[in-house]
Amino acid sequence: MGPSNDMGFTWGHYEGRSKDAHGQDVVTSGRYITIWRKLADGAWKVAMDASANEPANAAACCTLPKP
């Protein structure tokens, strides 16, 4: 949450499962970040949503970078 309490973010690792054209299981994984903005009526709206389809390093997942 930002200092003005009108923006925030969610982030982490995702895993998606589906089937290919031949019926074989397909697993995709990666990281995501979603930026949220609070509207004047108090509702929250997605301002930005991004992801990368690459496996995360187990030890590095979901940690903030050091300055």
Side-chain angles (χ1 to χ4, degrees):
M1 182 69 65
S4 60
N5 293 325
D6 63 354
M7 293 197 77
F9 65 93
T10 53
W11 55 283
H13 182 260
Y14 70 86
E15 184 174 281
R17 297 177 181 274
S18 62
K19 302 246 184 223
D20 67 12
H22 305 288
Q24 299 296 313
D25 291 331
V26 176
V27 178
T28 57
S29 65
R31 296 180 188 201
Y32 72 90
I33 184 167
T34 304
I35 307 297
W36 298 86
R37 180 172 52 101
K38 193 173 191 178
L39 303 178
D41 66 0
W44 288 90
K45 181 176 182 176
V46 172
M48 184 197 81
D49 190 40
S51 63
N53 286 347
E54 57 185 40
N57 293 332
C61 180
C62 309
T63 58
L64 291 173
K66 299 196 189 299

